[in-house]
Amino acid sequence: MNILILAGGSGTRLWPLSRDKYPKQLLTLLGEKTMIQETASRVEGFPVFVITGEDTASIIHDQLSKENKNFTKKNIFVEPSARNTAPAIAYAASFFQDDEIIAVLPSDHSIAKEEIFVSLLKKAEDLAKKGFIVTFGIVPERPETGYGYIKTKKEEKDSGFLVDSFKEKPDVATASRYIQEGNYYWNAGMFVFQAGVMREELKKYSPEIYAVAEKIGNAPALKQEYDQFPSISIDYAVMEKTDKLVLIPADIGWNDIGGFEALWENLKKDKEGNALKGNIDFYPIESKNNLFYTTGEKKIVAAIGIQDLIVVDTEDALLISDKKESQKVKDITLRLKKENREEAFLHKKVYRPWGYYKVIQEEPDFKLKEVFVYPLSRLSLQSHNRRSESWTVVEGEGIVVLGEKEISVQKESMVFIPMKEKHRLINLSKNIPLKIIEVQMGNYLGEDDIVRYEDDYGRHQ
């Protein structure tokens, strides 16, 4: 059985921790590992594959290859654009033979009872070998209104229950009725199937998706090809229509960590119900049931007479929310995106395949960055239409490609890069990083002002 981890989500309900280009699956929200590392580690021993976007592919490779020496760049299928789960699964399935079993798992869920989960995976594998598509229905613990539900028929089918219908997120009264009736389960978005069976069902129920997937095949997808996929979930495309779907009830301590209230529920708390995450010295007075989450350096947090609040402090944003209203963080994220605020997309420290950069200072007409290039790595050959750049080397040595010239640089070297000039920074050292200070000047300093001519990592604009 092969594990396919879906890692294309953006985690908008966990802003400002989660950003569009550094989403929640890359974060250490609960323990020492990131969410995607936790997902991969609980299925240790199975071949693991990931489908994700261009912005996160290299970061995911770095995170998972540290945990699993068999995980290489070939285990990552890159989506040039986000088109929802049905295209992602259809495209990824093209890389597997018809009789190969695929278990599709989200990258950002928490599962407390991992041994039980693995045993259910093996049970699902047996059903998939018989031609079924298997989903796991989470045994509901409460009348939850934040999840979709799956209703099953009463009779069993080969150790699973035939699925009757999918239900949208209900109100409290409807959710309570679901619990009482007993044959309703939370939809966790996990599926197990043969690759060939999935292709057959896509062809039958979503021929447009099937046709695009067949056209692309098991080759790297170009954006203009991938954008031909309709944006639709696998539930709507196949699962709500197929007669091959069976459900295995799963009591596995599951949580999708879909927002800050769920995060608070899953973190350790003090005797007053306060959950702390980060380097915090906590001084509370008559405060209870709050979440305090900080990033960066150690900080004193004093709380006086407050309860049921979410407080998240990052380097460039502060969120304060009533816990029950914290799902509305998504609305803030949408407003930030509409205004094209970088805080919706990026942190101050931004990871790239070649290293990272950190914004030190930003004004309307200039931006100051620290740029760190890994050994034996290089930036893309690129140019900028609306800004010039000045580079000063503060550590290491390397080469700057500037137009047709190659300039050797070392500590204290300075290079000016005119607007629209092709350029590239290269670190030739095998073990010493290359660090520069970059000053950008121009009338527009957005990260999307870039034209790439060559790129070692297959990135587009």
Side-chain angles (χ1 to χ4, degrees):
M1 180 166 56
N2 302 283
I3 306 299
L4 175 64
I5 299 176
L6 302 180
S10 57
T12 53
R13 291 182 179 87
L14 284 169
W15 182 90
L17 298 175
S18 177
R19 307 287 172 101
D20 195 71
K21 296 185 184 298
Y22 204 87
K24 67 172 181 174
Q25 56 264 32
L26 306 180
L27 303 175
T28 53
L29 293 177
L30 297 176
E32 298 300 318
K33 294 182 179 181
T34 66
M35 298 297 287
I36 195 168
Q37 285 176 328
E38 293 281 4
T39 301
S41 66
R42 72 174 61 105
V43 289
E44 185 178 3
F46 295 101
V48 172
F49 298 84
V50 176
I51 184 161
T52 190
E54 291 181 347
D55 292 316
T56 52
S58 62
I59 303 168
I60 288 173
H61 171 259
D62 289 344
Q63 290 190 1
L64 296 189
S65 61
K66 290 177 182 177
E67 303 278 319
N68 180 357
K69 64 181 181 180
N70 295 318
F71 189 87
T72 71
K73 292 181 179 179
K74 293 181 180 179
N75 293 65
I76 299 179
F77 311 129
V78 178
E79 293 184 283
S81 57
R83 306 301 293 167
N84 215 318
T85 54
I89 291 171
Y91 174 53
S94 300
F95 291 83
F96 298 92
Q97 299 298 315
D98 281 349
D99 61 350
E100 288 190 272
I101 305 295
I102 303 172
V104 174
L105 307 178
S107 61
D108 51 8
H109 292 182
S110 172
I111 294 177
K113 303 174 184 178
E114 294 189 348
E115 290 185 4
I116 295 175
F117 173 64
V118 172
S119 69
L120 292 179
L121 266 181
K122 294 175 180 177
K123 182 178 178 181
E125 180 181 19
D126 292 337
L127 285 170
K129 288 177 180 178
K130 298 178 181 179
F132 292 107
I133 297 174
V134 187
T135 188
F136 298 106
I138 305 302
V139 178
E141 302 170 354
R142 59 188 180 276
E144 174 62 53
T145 61
Y147 301 144
Y149 285 70
I150 301 175
K151 180 184 179 182
T152 62
K153 298 178 181 179
K154 297 295 185 180
E155 66 272 16
E156 283 194 56
K157 183 71 173 180
D158 289 289
S159 302
F161 290 94
L162 291 173
V163 170
D164 178 87
S165 57
F166 283 66
K167 304 295 183 181
E168 297 292 340
K169 297 175 183 178
D171 57 26
V172 174
T174 304
S176 298
R177 177 172 60 82
Y178 289 169
I179 300 295
Q180 291 174 357
E181 292 187 16
N183 60 324
Y184 289 82
Y185 301 86
W186 291 341
N187 181 3
M190 296 185 282
F191 304 98
V192 183
F193 49 80
Q194 290 184 45
V197 170
M198 178 54 64
R199 278 191 279 273
E200 290 172 3
E201 298 304 278
L202 284 165
K203 185 177 182 179
K204 184 176 181 180
Y205 297 111
S206 295
E208 188 176 355
I209 291 177
Y210 173 81
V212 177
E214 287 293 298
K215 181 179 178 181
I216 297 173
N218 59 355
L222 300 175
K223 188 176 187 303
Q224 59 265 34
E225 296 175 328
Y226 208 81
D227 283 349
Q228 294 175 24
F229 276 123
S231 181
I232 184 173
S233 73
I234 195 65
D235 286 0
Y236 288 128
V238 172
M239 301 306 172
E240 294 185 5
K241 303 170 184 176
T242 181
D243 59 1
K244 297 180 182 294
L245 185 63
V246 297
L247 180 146
I248 295 177
D251 182 3
I252 53 177
W254 173 88
N255 195 302
D256 75 340
I257 315 297
F260 284 110
E261 187 170 12
L263 181 59
W264 171 79
E265 290 172 351
N266 281 269
L267 288 172
K268 291 182 180 179
K269 304 171 189 66
D270 65 16
K271 62 182 181 180
E272 297 298 329
N274 295 302
L276 309 176
K277 180 73 173 178
N279 199 355
I280 295 173
D281 280 345
F282 189 46
Y283 289 81
I285 297 176
E286 297 176 357
S287 296
K288 60 182 181 180
N289 300 328
N290 302 292
L291 168 63
F292 299 96
Y293 198 126
T294 69
T295 63
E297 297 180 357
K298 191 171 188 177
K299 184 170 292 187
I300 292 175
V301 173
I304 303 173
I306 61 174
Q307 64 181 35
D308 297 316
L309 288 185
I310 303 294
V311 181
V312 181
D313 184 28
T314 70
E315 190 172 1
D316 60 350
L318 172 65
L319 170 70
I320 304 172
S321 170
D322 182 280
K323 195 192 301 173
K324 294 296 183 184
E325 300 292 326
S326 59
Q327 289 288 339
K328 294 180 181 177
V329 170
K330 183 178 181 179
D331 299 332
I332 298 293
T333 309
L334 292 174
R335 286 171 59 185
L336 292 172
K337 288 182 177 180
K338 187 175 181 180
E339 296 174 11
N340 201 31
R341 293 289 299 261
E342 281 198 357
E343 293 89 343
F345 303 96
L346 301 168
H347 289 280
K348 286 287 187 182
K349 187 175 183 179
V350 179
Y351 289 92
R352 294 294 192 223
W354 43 260
Y356 63 82
Y357 69 81
K358 182 177 181 180
V359 178
I360 300 171
Q361 185 178 353
E362 184 171 5
E363 301 295 339
D365 57 351
F366 83 89
K367 184 186 290 187
L368 185 64
K369 284 182 176 181
E370 176 185 82
V371 180
F372 184 100
V373 185
Y374 297 141
L376 297 177
S377 298
R378 62 180 184 173
L379 282 64
S380 60
L381 182 64
Q382 59 188 257
S383 66
H384 311 290
N385 290 321
R386 300 175 65 180
R387 71 173 186 254
S388 63
E389 296 178 344
S390 296
W391 290 349
T392 302
V393 179
V394 295
E395 182 181 331
E397 56 186 29
I399 291 175
V400 173
V401 176
L402 186 62
E404 300 299 321
K405 298 184 295 183
E406 290 191 359
I407 305 169
S408 295
V409 294
Q410 55 190 358
K411 188 174 181 179
E412 298 184 359
S413 295
M414 300 177 65
V415 178
F416 175 73
I417 301 159
M419 193 181 299
K420 298 186 178 181
E421 184 75 86
K422 290 183 182 180
H423 60 281
R424 166 179 258 163
L425 181 61
I426 305 171
N427 185 357
L428 297 178
S429 172
K430 294 182 179 180
N431 47 35
I432 300 174
L434 176 59
K435 183 177 176 181
I436 70 167
I437 298 298
E438 175 180 288
V439 180
Q440 301 177 357
M441 299 192 71
N443 60 9
Y444 179 74
L445 304 174
E447 293 301 321
D448 55 348
D449 177 23
I450 184 170
V451 180
R452 288 194 176 98
Y453 305 95
E454 297 175 9
D455 185 65
D456 295 342
Y457 313 101
R459 294 173 297 172
H460 299 81
Q461 291 299 98

